Amino acid sequence: MARPKKYTDEDLLELLRQTRSEITEDLTPYLLEKHTGISKTVWRTRMAKEIKQLNHAFNNPYNDSRGINPLPLDNVLTIYGKYKDNEKVLLTKLKSYDIFVNNILKTASKVRGLEVTLQQKESASEQRIQELEEKVDVLKGERDHFEKEYLETIGQSAYREQYRTRETKEPLSLEKKENAEIVDFIGRNSDLFD
């Protein structure tokens, strides 16, 4: 015959909720034993699922969108309703609740700070990308200009005789197809360039 249980499941669940409101780190049977005085074996055998569920709910504040149903923590009205006849216990429970809410607010403040920092970094990155894109456009324009100048210079120097026989004294223009072929020094000497 088994010995009667010293704590009901409801008692353990209440202690678990209270401990969750006071401690922000992951709950373990060993930590619960240390905090409540109830054997870690009791926590491990009877409340393992609830401990895992509470840890998961606490570490993932956006879990409602994923359909997870965490164990709800008591609110102020529930605490008052349960302990209104015992002022000392009521004050202890409200203090624990206050600590829990303050821990959540501190975490939210840290998250907000990280969010602002990330937004600033993202904005700075976008600005830097825009500056680099503008610089690339300028460099492409310069490249095209110097390439055209180079090809016209090659055409004028390599084919000076053809340039002199032209009726106009204007430099070769790459706009005309026959001039583009004249200045295609690399194309005409492809055996020199691999």
Side-chain angles (χ1 to χ4, degrees):
M1 180 182 238
R3 145 178 103 169
K5 294 179 180 177
K6 188 173 180 179
Y7 298 98
T8 65
D9 287 347
E10 290 78 24
D11 293 337
L12 290 174
L13 193 55
E14 177 62 31
L15 281 169
L16 184 60
R17 287 178 178 161
Q18 180 183 353
T19 306
R20 171 76 286 163
S21 68
E22 295 169 1
I23 299 176
T24 56
E25 57 190 284
D26 276 355
L27 298 176
T28 62
Y30 175 75
L31 184 64
L32 289 165
E33 178 183 41
K34 188 175 169 184
H35 192 75
T36 63
I38 299 172
S39 170
K40 61 185 172 199
T41 307
V42 172
W43 288 113
R44 189 179 303 116
T45 56
R46 293 178 53 199
M47 290 285 136
K49 181 181 173 187
E50 288 80 2
I51 291 169
K52 183 178 178 183
Q53 196 174 10
L54 262 181
N55 283 335
H56 184 71
F58 189 77
N59 292 329
N60 297 300
Y62 303 109
N63 56 13
D64 291 335
S65 63
R66 289 184 243 148
I68 298 169
N69 187 13
L71 292 173
L73 295 173
D74 290 338
N75 62 28
V76 175
L77 294 176
T78 307
I79 292 171
Y80 178 76
K82 284 182 181 179
Y83 305 107
K84 65 183 174 188
D85 298 331
N86 188 342
E87 185 177 335
K88 187 175 181 180
V89 173
L90 176 62
L91 289 174
T92 304
K93 298 287 184 180
L94 288 174
K95 183 178 178 185
S96 297
Y97 186 78
D98 183 52
I99 291 169
F100 177 72
V101 170
N102 283 329
N103 286 337
I104 289 176
L105 290 175
K106 285 177 189 174
T107 304
S109 175
K110 287 178 187 176
V111 168
R112 179 64 185 143
L114 289 173
E115 199 174 81
V116 168
T117 303
L118 287 174
Q119 287 173 348
Q120 290 171 344
K121 286 182 179 180
E122 182 180 4
S123 176
S125 296
E126 287 174 358
Q127 185 178 6
R128 180 72 176 139
I129 288 170
Q130 185 177 1
E131 290 171 1
L132 291 173
E133 285 175 347
E134 290 171 1
K135 191 172 183 178
V136 164
D137 289 340
V138 169
L139 291 173
K140 281 181 180 177
E142 288 179 3
R143 179 203 63 195
D144 293 344
H145 169 73
F146 288 121
E147 181 180 19
K148 182 178 177 182
E149 290 293 319
Y150 171 77
L151 290 174
E152 285 182 358
T153 303
I154 289 289
Q156 291 172 12
S157 63
Y159 301 97
R160 188 172 297 275
E161 193 59 39
Q162 290 179 3
Y163 177 69
R164 269 193 228 142
T165 60
R166 294 192 174 278
E167 299 203 357
T168 63
K169 294 295 180 181
E170 296 175 22
L172 286 175
S173 170
L174 293 178
E175 304 301 322
K176 296 181 181 176
K177 186 177 179 184
E178 68 263 9
N179 290 343
E181 291 172 2
I182 290 172
V183 297
D184 186 11
F185 184 74
I186 296 172
R188 294 171 70 84
N189 299 297
S190 59
D191 54 328
L192 299 175
F193 301 98
D194 287 335

